[in-house]
Amino acid sequence: MELSSLNILFIGAAALLGIGMYGMLVSHNLIKIVVAIQILVKSALLAMISAGLARDEIQLSQSLALTVIVADTIVAVIGIALAVQVRRRIGTLDVRELSKLKG
Amino acid sequence: MAVLCVSLCICLPWIGSIAVWRCGNAHSKLQHSVASVFAVATGVMSLLLLLNPAETPVVRIPMGDFFGELTLVPDGLGIILAIIASVVGSLAVVFSIDYMHGDPQLGRYYALILFFIGAMSGLGLSGSMLLMFFFWEITAFCSYALISFHNDDPKAVSGGVKALIVTQFGGIGLLIGALIIRSYTGSYQIGDFLETAPALESGLLSAIGFGFLLAAMAKSAQFPLHTWLPDAMEAPTPVTALIHAATMVNAGVYLLARFFPAFEAVAGWKTSVMLVGLLSALLAALMATRSDDIKRALAYSTISQLGYMIYAVGIGGIFASMFHLLSHAVFKALLFLGAGAVIQATGTRDMRRMGNLSKKMPFVHATFMIGCFALAGLPLANGFFSKELILEFGLQRGPQWVFLCMLAGAGLTAWYTLRIYTMTFRGQSGEIHVVNPAPPAMKTSLAILAAGVLTTWLFAAGFSALLADSLPYHNVHVTTNISLIHEIIRAPLTYVALLVIVAGGACWQFRDRVVKKFRIPARVTQFVESGYGIDIPYTAVVRITQRASRLLRDAHSGQLNLNVAGISAALCILLTLLLAGV
């Protein structure tokens, strides 16, 4: 398979997706999970830009990406703020101890 | 004028329902009066509909391509349903002033009842199948919420859920039928469908026809989908009288009568309708003879009488069926409200603990007796005329053996009616004390309904003319009061039927001897009491659902990582499906 620059971009996006998923699966720390979500979103951004490049509509995908970056920042901020509050009130950041469901 | 009347019939109770809700439970007197005013106003509005019936839509609300036009058609069938819903509804509301006195959650109670009245009028008046389905589902919801009104009582809650589950079958059947009709005729209008139905493919038509039959069976509690109705008796008694005796359970009969011209020609449809009616009429009557709970006994009798109406539709007697529907709504509402007065005074529903109440509650006794007259089919009460009409039609049009079974059913009816009456009002005094023999609001409702039982048969002529004028596709035979009376007095069948009724009553009176003569094995009576084992599949479904939920509970661990694993697994499955090109 010929490794064009586009292919490299897509492989990078898939790799980032895998890393993010893996991070969310194995990490127990809330902050780490927020970081993993960030990586996931970055992979989506990369995929979007590459798709725009492939279809020659780079303006559209760039403007969409900008919007996503803004939304994503808010997600990150709120996630971290929640983590801080959880730590203050419950005294731990371990998601295994945060589960309140009985069953 | 007509537009205003038709829309107010639906909107007025709904506005009232919001108004009662907004009153707040702290002002119970205000709630009582607001609910009564709105209910009575709706009743008056529905009576005004009689002034100008129409066979074409008077209200049209265009809703775009997919939903078609939502229309309201005040034709004979629709008007009669709206009148029953709102007049009996207003009497039930008035009755509730005393019956629900001091209940802490009156707002919810009245709001739901008014909401129901509006929806039921709408169900009758709607000319578009989609709108009909919408109202159909609202009535099912109100029925569920009112059965479970005492939501701290587990029996009431499970009864409500059961009613909801069973009637949903019906709702789905109706929706599927409506969608099929829409895709083949391009319109949701009932009138359009009745016009084009003969041109449709017969297989398609029979699919819709039997779907609608299933819907009617679920809604009208017909065998074998009847089990929800006896369990619905946990509802407050005025609700039972309104929803589970006079109005909502009639919706199934109404549906069959409304679409009768379309499915008349479908092979086997009329026979199936007739057999459903026959089975329900007889089996439910048998169960009514074994039930000791006054409300359950009346509920079985409702199923049995609905069976008579369905049978009448099956043999093509639309007018006889609708006439019995009207009579039954009035006398069964009276019987249930009377039972409500008894239950409130004695604090029990068990008839074995009652007895000799005729002296302690003379007024309730008198009205209840009038209701019993109509239920058993004795002369001068409306039930007599409508039942004779059905039986006579059955003799002329239907197969003879079915007619003979229905005649025997009339005897059974007399048996259980006399049983309910004597166990409650005659015989030895029960162990319980009568606290409060019927306050004034209760008496008003009972008196009006009792007067209705004795007089509604006088409207037979006007009713048949109304149906014949406004239903272009139904073949309704117009009668006058005099010819009706003449016909009934001259027909030998009337006397045979009366003889059967007397024989049925005598069977109860001399039950000791009858029982000795025909030894009924204990297993048979147990089988009847257990409701013919129909509940078994239902309880199996409930049990399987509960087991499955217990098994699946482990999946709800609340562990974030586990949830992410689930999400990624689902993503993988979707991706493989996409790549495989399924």
Side-chain angles (χ1 to χ4, degrees), chain B residues 223-236:
Chain B
F223 212 78
L225 297 178
H226 66 278
T227 53
W228 67 269
L229 190 61
D231 286 357
M233 293 299 123
E234 303 299 328

Side-chain angles (χ1 to χ4, degrees), chain B residues 319 323 326-327 330 374 378-387 389 450-464 479-482 484-486 488-489:
Chain B
F319 170 64
F323 190 35
L326 172 68
S327 305
V330 177
L378 293 175
L380 282 182
N382 55 8
F384 167 72
F385 291 95
S386 50
K387 203 181 278 180
L389 217 59
V453 169
L454 295 176
T455 51
T456 45
W457 59 273
L458 289 169
F459 305 130
F463 185 23
S464 70
T479 175
T480 60
N481 283 339
I482 297 186
L484 178 75
I485 295 171
H486 205 119
I488 284 177
I489 288 180

